[in-house]
Amino acid sequence: MKILFIGSRLYDDIDYYVRQKGIDSILTESNEEAINLDLPDQVFIVPRGMDGPKQIAVTQNVDAIVPLIGIDPPLIQVAQMKEELEKDYGIPVIAANVRAVELTSNKINTKKFYADIGVATPEYQILNSPDDLTLGFPVVLKQGEGQGGKDIKIAHNLEDVNDYFEEYSYALCEKFIEGSEISIEVLGYNGEYVALSPIYKGETTLEGTHPLNKVKLGPSLIDGLDNNLIQHVAYDVARNLDSDGIFEMDFMYSHKEDQLYAIEVNTRPNGTRYLTSATCGINSLCELINMACGDFSLKNIFDKLEYYYSTEIPIGNYHGPEVNEPKKSFDNNDFVVHGPEGYQRITIRAKSKKELENLINELI
């Protein structure tokens, strides 16, 4: 089996699994100084964009392509490449299709999609001027495109809105929801979808604290909210997107309204994947490889499901005990350290809440 991987930044997460399955690995990367270039069997440095990976895929006669791209801008090019290679060459590309990317990469399109399929989302309006505002404060101002909290502002008054419009010509204006933030990964391939463990990312704040700066917990255990409901809604969203790969969905739960609101969908590897893997034993990046190899099925997922309590904590730099090999896997570890130096996080799991608390005290 020969698989082409696009992008090296996440490759060390799955290198052990690629070798375990005996896959002949080829990687394309546009940055010759990028990390992890020593890990695959072959590496090709190509220009930015998908023309280079597409040419390598055809000339190297690969069996499948697995993009390892964790940012939004290239996703539409990946989707276009997917449709061309699958139609003209029969090479599966384990990624979202054009329709799914167009619906999820723009927050306004996502809002309309939620409305079309009957999924609740916070009340919103499109502002072309501060004078258009009819929602009551506080509100959340966003741009249609962007990730990681970029271009987002919580406005407490009209002055905040005016300040936002000094930089932007329009805004997606959304009612601020006071409550719990939740993420969930859904895996999908060939019409089969499975929603994994919901992850609790903390309470919303009027300061707009970024999720990376919060302690996260798995599984999500929120009073009044059934995890089965989160999984059901996430499954329904993925089924209506009708595409392949990883879907990470963000939700808000309003305790006051007893309402689950859908916020956005990402069709790419995401920041909660370590916590999901720690909580339920399913590594979403490894499942992309299983999709490429024809080994993905709901039965295989359910057979591998495990049940742990887990947490993810920002630590800056880790100085504790050494992690076992493979370092990015929970196969032989109760904890995994990830992220760049100075911004590292530790994800820890245990069979009970008490064991998790003890392990945290040992490691932090």
Side-chain angles (χ1 to χ4, degrees), residues 54 57-59 61-62 83-92:
K54 185 165 54 178
V58 174
T59 58
N61 195 29
V62 302
E83 297 195 352
E84 179 181 344
L85 287 181
E86 290 184 349
K87 177 184 177 183
D88 296 342
Y89 295 92
I91 301 174

Side-chain angles (χ1 to χ4, degrees), residues 302-343:
F302 294 143
D303 286 347
K304 290 185 288 189
L305 279 177
E306 299 176 304
Y307 301 93
Y308 290 88
Y309 292 94
S310 60
T311 187
E312 188 170 291
I313 304 170
I315 54 173
N317 285 310
Y318 177 70
H319 302 291
E322 186 67 20
V323 187
N324 295 321
E325 293 290 344
K327 291 187 176 183
K328 294 295 188 72
S329 168
F330 288 95
D331 289 352
N332 300 315
N333 290 295
D334 291 324
F335 68 99
V336 165
V337 178
H338 49 97
E341 288 190 13
Y343 300 92

Side-chain angles (χ1 to χ4, degrees), residues 4-193:
L4 170 64
F5 297 91
I6 302 175
S8 68
R9 187 175 67 85
L10 306 182
Y11 189 82
D12 59 334
D13 280 16
I14 48 91
D15 179 63
Y16 77 96
Y17 195 67
V18 172
R19 296 181 185 279
Q20 189 181 107
K21 291 184 75 73
I23 291 168
D24 183 3
S25 57
I26 302 175
L27 185 139
T28 61
E29 171 59 56
S30 61
N31 178 10
E32 61 183 15
E33 303 295 327
I35 61 173
N36 302 324
L37 297 181
D38 58 324
L39 298 178
D41 295 321
Q42 296 184 71
V43 173
F44 292 88
I45 303 299
V46 298
R48 289 186 181 275
M50 292 302 126
D51 287 344
K54 185 165 54 178
Q55 181 180 5
I56 298 299
V58 174
T59 58
Q60 294 294 314
N61 195 29
V62 302
D63 297 297
I65 299 174
V66 176
L68 297 174
I69 296 173
I71 57 176
D72 290 341
L75 295 182
I76 190 63
Q77 296 178 54
V78 172
Q80 291 164 346
M81 178 186 67
K82 170 186 175 72
E83 297 195 352
E84 179 181 344
L85 287 181
E86 290 184 349
K87 177 184 177 183
D88 296 342
Y89 295 92
I91 301 174
V93 179
I94 313 304
N97 59 32
V98 170
R99 173 180 175 270
V101 172
E102 288 178 343
L103 287 174
T104 60
S105 62
N106 183 285
K107 296 177 179 65
I108 299 171
N109 289 345
T110 307
K111 287 283 194 182
K112 294 175 181 177
F113 170 66
Y114 287 148
D116 288 342
I117 64 174
V119 170
T121 189
E123 185 180 359
Y124 75 99
Q125 60 179 129
I126 308 302
L127 303 183
N128 294 306
S129 159
D131 296 334
D132 295 339
L133 179 63
T134 59
L135 295 176
F137 293 108
V139 294
V140 183
L141 304 175
K142 306 176 179 179
Q143 292 298 286
E145 298 178 352
Q147 70 182 82
K150 184 177 182 293
D151 305 327
I152 293 178
K153 179 183 180 68
I154 296 176
H156 302 266
N157 49 51
L158 191 56
E159 182 180 351
D160 289 339
V161 180
N162 286 324
D163 289 344
Y164 192 83
F165 269 84
E166 287 184 5
E167 187 170 355
Y168 302 102
S169 60
Y170 79 99
L172 168 59
C173 179
E174 189 176 77
K175 175 185 174 183
F176 176 81
I177 302 299
E178 184 178 356
S180 302
E181 297 183 61
I182 305 143
S183 281
I184 183 170
E185 284 187 298
V186 181
L187 300 174
Y189 192 61
N190 281 342
E192 289 191 315
Y193 302 94

